[in-house]
Amino acid sequence: MKKLFFLLGIFITSNLSAQTDIRLYSIIDAVSAQRLENDIRTLVNFGTRNTFSDTISKTRGIGAARRWIKAEFDKIDNNCNNCLEVFYQKDLVTPKDGNRVPKEAYVVNVVAVQKGTKYPNRYIIMTGDIDSRNSDTMDYTNDAPGANDNASGMAGTIEAARVLSKYQFENSIVYLGLSGEEQGLFGGKGFAEYAKKNNWEIIGVLNNDMIGNIEGVDGVIDNRTFRIFSEPTPVTETEKERNQRRFYGGEVDGISRQLARYIHKTVSTYMPEMNPMMVYRLDRFGRGGHHRPFNDLGYAGVRIMEAHENYNRQHQNNRVENGIKYGDVIEGVNFEYAKKLTAVNAIVLAGLGWSPQEPKNVTIGGVVEPNTKLKWDKVADDSVIGYKIYWRLTTSPQWEFSRFVGNTDNFELKGVVIDNYYFGVASVHQNGQESVVVFPSAVMRSTGK
């Protein structure tokens, strides 16, 4: 008889993982549009959150904003019996650091860490930007409400902390408010370096930048589609790895792209009413976001954002010209849409928080053979019930086929020719969650020519 598991509403057989985890539906339902609206309005009411704005006032400027964010994290910590470690992380910047730095100042990030119960040094990070700007990024005195860019992402990060703090996860989750984005991605750079210095193992970074607008400057109104930006391969890869791709493929299978696929699959499973749109690019054309500094250090990271931007509401002074309203004001935010994208983040954070470690040293073989062979290093964790092999046509954006192969460290896919597909392997937890798919990093030697 097959061994059966029944854990927290998840049914699993020994050779097939469950398709859904009912806890994720509860997480979706727990996200509140009203709380998001309240938080976005609070952030807007600080007038400006420019990184170089007032740090002393209790009601205006970046200082008041970041103290309020920390206070919200502290409230969540109190409500979850001290499940969060809340602190500031900061770095000094001067005019020598860039032409968008008008004066010396500290770039201060607000951090809330929910430690994992089994793997506290494995982290999944959700970020939102604290700072805002108007037409002139050097103007740090006049109003820059930044309702959508990026009070929406910051509010979503706080709300995700409220919801997920009611659960425990094997891996750690970080809720992160970053500063200095508009001046040159300084907050992300500082925190990525902090993580590197402290030897964090980062599963992935979800950078949320503008998750509240549904009305594009092109006139399209869409409250279901959102974009997932991801770079194809790590910028830190070696010359040997680049050369191998010419012969073995993998041009679109870097760690950030696998993270994007994980998000797409999770949303398609648990929020089928949404339309996740994978964009094969680091960010928007020629532009940047706060996941990039993490990518620069070799970490997996993506940008999650609305599908239809309204440039009249981005980086604009509040005004009316030729009958057109400009400015990033509260009226441009759709709170129900922000709720949906916050829920997207929350279920991905939860899924990865409950996920097992990835298999290591995935190796592939099958040159001039009728079958494809894969082997890997098993995860040293009794909670892992086995492994799943994924494959897809080389032109397909998503994994199309999969097979659960049990608790083994190798498998041969008979009748599947290596030349026609790309392959990957994921670990499967007894709770039904899977790791991010790992693309092979080495090739088995073949006797063929």
Side-chain angles (χ1 to χ4, degrees), residues 139-160:
D139 177 2
Y140 52 84
T141 58
N142 290 313
D143 281 354
N148 188 45
D149 183 16
N150 187 29
S152 64
M154 188 66 250
T157 303
I158 296 170
E159 178 64 6

Side-chain angles (χ1 to χ4, degrees), residues 197-215:
K197 179 180 178 181
N198 286 278
N199 298 313
W200 283 18
E201 180 183 349
I202 295 180
I203 302 169
V205 177
L206 312 181
N207 169 38
N208 284 257
D209 195 346
M210 295 186 289
I211 62 170
N213 179 70
I214 65 171
E215 183 178 354

Side-chain angles (χ1 to χ4, degrees), residues 43 46-71 88 103 105-110 130-132 140 179:
L43 288 164
F46 289 116
T48 177
R49 304 185 306 279
N50 187 292
T51 297
F52 301 94
S53 61
D54 194 313
T55 61
I56 305 300
S57 171
K58 295 181 179 180
T59 59
R60 183 176 178 84
I62 187 73
R66 65 195 182 211
R67 287 190 294 272
W68 174 79
I69 293 167
K70 183 178 184 298
Y88 293 120
K103 62 178 181 177
Y106 278 103
V107 173
V108 182
N109 300 319
V110 187
I130 302 172
D131 59 319
S132 66
Y140 52 84
S179 296

Side-chain angles (χ1 to χ4, degrees), residues 122 201 203 355-360 377 379 387 427 435-436 438:
R122 282 170 50 83
E201 180 183 349
I203 302 169
S355 72
Q357 296 183 73
E358 305 85 1
K360 307 297 183 185
D377 292 346
V379 175
Y387 301 86
S427 307
S435 72
V436 175
V438 178

Side-chain angles (χ1 to χ4, degrees), residues 165-176:
S165 61
K166 300 183 185 303
Y167 298 82
Q168 288 188 330
F169 301 94
E170 293 190 358
N171 302 305
S172 296
I173 297 177
V174 181
Y175 313 98
L176 179 59

